[in-house]
Amino acid sequence: KAGVTQTPRYLIKTRGQQVTLSCSPISGHRSVSWYQQTPGQGLQFLFEYFSETQRNKGNFPGRFSGRQFSNSRSEMNVSTLELGDSALYLCASSLAGGAASSEQYFGPGTRLTVT
Amino acid sequence: AQKITQTQPGMFVQEKEAVTLDCTYDTSDQSYGLFWYKQPSSGEMIFLIYQGSYDEQNATEGRYSLNFQKARKSANLVISASQLGDSAMYFCAMRELRGSTLGRLYFGRGTQLTVWP
């Protein structure tokens, strides 16, 4: 079965612009989580969606938002980009994100550079 | 307080030797899951192994095994017969399986493993 896919893989944006990243989970997986990875802060949780509802949110400003569609695909949006938003954005999918979820697989990531 | 602590920023091991990567965790939940991931320089997070808090046996997946000591709250990864391709960053992570943080993974800062010939 196909793995988690993320598009685009690389992105260069200018400060002040906005960006939308996409994640398609493994078929049958209903939970999608997003993480930001930077050298300074490590891996930080952004948010998690399950059945089109945001179930969890990390400590990020409101410029970071997301959504999930009925086919479980998810998008995250960052508005008014700042230099500090440069990072690897990773998406993870799991069946339910709960007790039964020993599976939590990540996509290849989107590397965002803000100039 | 840190949920996941990995105290070894870097580890070196010779090819074909075994290596243990340390991980301790902090939770007051009884129900949780522990994960190890490998991240090569390409950036992709590769799932290696999972241990549930109620699992009585230590998890094993090929050359990977998880040394789970619940009372000590440690979940060390053991890689047997290291290969050059094992050189990568390794992350320990935890998910609490009840409560408001369900679905969220907490990660450690990682251990950079270098395998030398």
Side-chain angles (χ1 to χ4, degrees):
Chain A
K1 112 167 97 163
V4 181
T5 58
Q6 290 186 248
T7 56
R9 293 293 311 279
Y10 302 91
L11 206 49
I12 300 175
K13 289 286 190 179
T14 304
R15 236 175 346 174
Q17 287 186 315
Q18 75 163 15
V19 67
T20 298
L21 312 182
S22 180
C23 171
S24 292
I26 291 171
S27 176
H29 284 194
R30 295 166 62 193
S31 167
V32 174
S33 302
W34 290 88
Y35 295 83
Q36 181 198 64
Q37 186 178 25
T38 59
Q41 299 297 320
L43 280 147
Q44 293 188 285
F45 173 76
L46 281 155
F47 27 66
E48 186 230 0
Y49 287 88
F50 178 73
S51 292
E52 300 180 64
T53 301
Q54 187 181 85
R55 188 161 64 173
N56 259 299
K57 190 177 192 313
N59 294 326
F60 277 81
R63 300 185 296 108
F64 291 81
S65 63
R67 58 179 175 167
Q68 187 179 33
F69 302 96
S70 58
N71 62 358
S72 294
R73 189 176 72 85
S74 176
E75 289 181 347
M76 68 162 279
N77 184 275
V78 188
S79 62
T80 320
L81 283 165
E82 300 177 1
L83 295 179
D85 297 333
S86 295
L88 179 66
Y89 289 89
L90 291 161
C91 161
S93 83
S94 64
L95 276 168
S101 263
S102 60
E103 294 187 344
Q104 179 103 21
Y105 295 101
F106 282 80
T110 294
R111 198 169 291 277
L112 172 65
T113 302
V114 182
T115 63
Chain B
Q2 289 289 327
K3 290 273 190 181
I4 297 287
T5 302
Q6 293 181 255
T7 58
Q8 307 154 315
M11 287 285 285
F12 293 84
V13 65
Q14 190 170 25
E15 202 177 5
K16 299 179 187 175
E17 297 295 311
V19 63
T20 298
L21 306 183
D22 294 342
C23 172
T24 57
Y25 58 91
D26 181 28
T27 182
S28 55
D29 281 9
Q30 296 301 309
S31 184
Y32 51 89
L34 297 157
F35 300 76
W36 275 93
Y37 290 90
K38 169 184 177 182
Q39 188 179 43
S41 55
S42 61
E44 183 168 3
M45 295 285 277
I46 301 167
F47 168 76
L48 295 178
I49 196 166
Y50 170 84
Q51 179 87 41
S53 59
Y54 294 116
D55 294 341
E56 294 185 354
Q57 305 269 359
N58 286 342
T60 61
E61 289 284 349
R63 295 186 299 111
Y64 304 107
S65 60
L66 200 152
N67 184 359
F68 181 46
Q69 298 189 45
K70 197 168 180 176
R72 293 186 174 187
K73 292 189 175 177
S74 84
N76 298 339
L77 177 70
V78 180
I79 305 174
S80 63
S82 297
Q83 301 172 356
L84 296 178
D86 293 335
S87 293
M89 183 71 88
Y90 288 78
F91 290 96
C92 178
M94 177 180 67
R95 174 194 287 134
E96 292 163 331
L97 301 181
R98 283 195 296 260
S100 62
T101 60
L102 179 68
R104 168 181 181 166
L105 279 177
Y106 295 91
F107 283 90
R109 295 304 300 250
T111 296
Q112 180 68 47
L113 176 67
T114 302
V115 181
W116 51 284

